[in-house]
Structure formats: C-alpha cells, structure tokens
Amino acid sequence: MTALAPPAQALIVVDVQSAFVSGPAAVPDAPRLLEHIEDLTARARTAGALVVHLQNDGPAGAADEPKTPGWELHLPVREGQREVVIRKPEDDGFKDTPLGELLTGMGIQALAVCGVMSEMCVSATARTALALGYRVVLPHDAHATYDIPAAAGISDVVPAATVSRVAEWALSGEAEIVPRAADVAFERAPH
C-alpha cells in the first residue's frame, strides 16, 4: 500500500448506525461502504490509533431515535482506552460532546474521517476539525449519503455519489481527499 497522506493518529467513524447502512433504507452501496470502514477500523486498531465511533441521537420518531434498532451502531466496537463511543446531539461531532477534549488529551494532530452522511455529519465534523487545526484525511470511498430528491423548478434527482463528491470538494481546500480507504495510513496515538 502506498499512502497518499502522512499517517493519521485517529479515525472518526461518523454515524455508522443500522438505520443508515442496513435494510431497505440503507445508503446506496452500503456493503461496499461498510467494507471500507471495517478495513479502516481494523488498520487503525492495529496501529494503536484512537478510534472514535460517533453515534447520532435523532429526534423522537426518527430512524436514529435513541434506544431503537436503527440507532444502534452497526459495526462491532471494542471499547477501551483507544476506542470509544461518543453520542452526539447535532451534525457536528464536536458540538456539545467531549470529542475535542479527547483528541487534545491524546495528543492527536491528524485524523481520518469516514461514515455517513457526506454532506451533513461527516462534513460538519471534518469542517470543525479543520477549524480547530487538525490535519484531516477524507477517503473518497469511505463516506456516503442518499440521493437528493427532485425539486420542482430546481433540479432533477441528484445522485448520492454526486452529493458525496460535492461534499468532499467543499472540504478539499483544507482536507486531504484520498481516492481509497486503503490509501490511509495510521500510527499510534501519542498518549
């Protein structure tokens, strides 16, 4: 493997919850997305990087309403000093959560971000990380979203792949966009 970016010390897995990646309401090509996120997670663990699973607390009646099957994290978590779950009330994984303090406390300077939804929670979390001075790597094939429905007088359906690409393009002036999750390298978190 040839890394296109220097190693990251943390992996932020955004909202990989059952409602979004399984069943008939899953994002397009969810199996491929999950395969790439599982690979990133396994390599981050092996390297001793910090792995943070963000879990969105949706409103009552939403697919990700807390304590419902759709809210559950879809991939296995190995909670410990270097792997944690952080629940979040907003798109931005830093807002009203301990994420910033955790990254600072562990001496993290570079992180990779993956998950769903590209234009919402992934983008908001990556944007705040950049504003806080973190180096952010975003693998193109490890984030996803849904099609944007047609809107009369505005546009036809916007395919999910286009929405994801536009979301990463909006971050590309600051974030390091790499083509494949396999292009992301990890190193041990400093603390």
Side-chain angles (χ1 to χ4, degrees):
M1 174 186 84
T2 303
L4 297 180
Q9 301 151 331
L11 174 65
I12 311 300
V13 182
V14 181
D15 301 347
V16 179
Q17 293 167 253
S18 292
F20 308 129
V21 295
S22 64
V27 295
D29 207 7
R32 176 201 55 84
L33 174 71
L34 290 170
E35 179 182 315
H36 296 300
I37 293 173
E38 287 176 305
D39 173 62
L40 284 166
T41 303
R43 290 187 297 106
R45 287 174 178 148
T46 298
L50 172 66
V51 178
V52 178
H53 301 269
L54 295 178
Q55 184 175 28
N56 195 66
D57 286 345
D64 59 350
E65 176 183 351
K67 308 300 182 195
T68 65
W71 172 80
E72 298 294 332
L73 292 173
H74 190 74
L75 298 175
V77 175
R78 298 182 191 163
E79 284 194 82
Q81 181 184 1
R82 294 187 181 274
E83 187 160 350
V84 300
V85 174
I86 295 177
R87 293 173 62 179
K88 63 183 188 60
E90 304 283 338
D91 286 357
D92 180 355
F94 288 88
K95 186 171 172 88
D96 298 327
T97 75
L99 180 58
E101 292 85 7
L102 174 65
L103 296 175
T104 300
M106 293 195 73
I108 304 298
Q109 296 178 342
L111 50 91
V113 180
C114 63
V116 294
M117 300 307 159
S118 301
E119 79 285 15
M120 296 169 68
C121 300
V122 170
S123 180
T125 301
R127 194 169 301 284
T128 296
L130 290 164
L132 292 172
Y134 293 100
R135 200 180 106 247
V136 175
V137 180
L138 182 64
H140 172 75
D141 63 358
H143 65 93
T145 194
Y146 295 107
D147 294 343
I148 295 176
I154 297 173
S155 75
D156 292 332
V157 171
V158 180
T162 301
V163 178
S164 290
R165 179 66 183 123
V166 169
E168 72 187 21
W169 177 256
L171 295 167
S172 67
E174 299 173 79
E176 298 167 32
I177 312 300
V178 297
R180 303 172 307 134
D183 296 327
V184 178
F186 293 97
E187 65 185 9
R188 187 170 183 80
H191 305 294

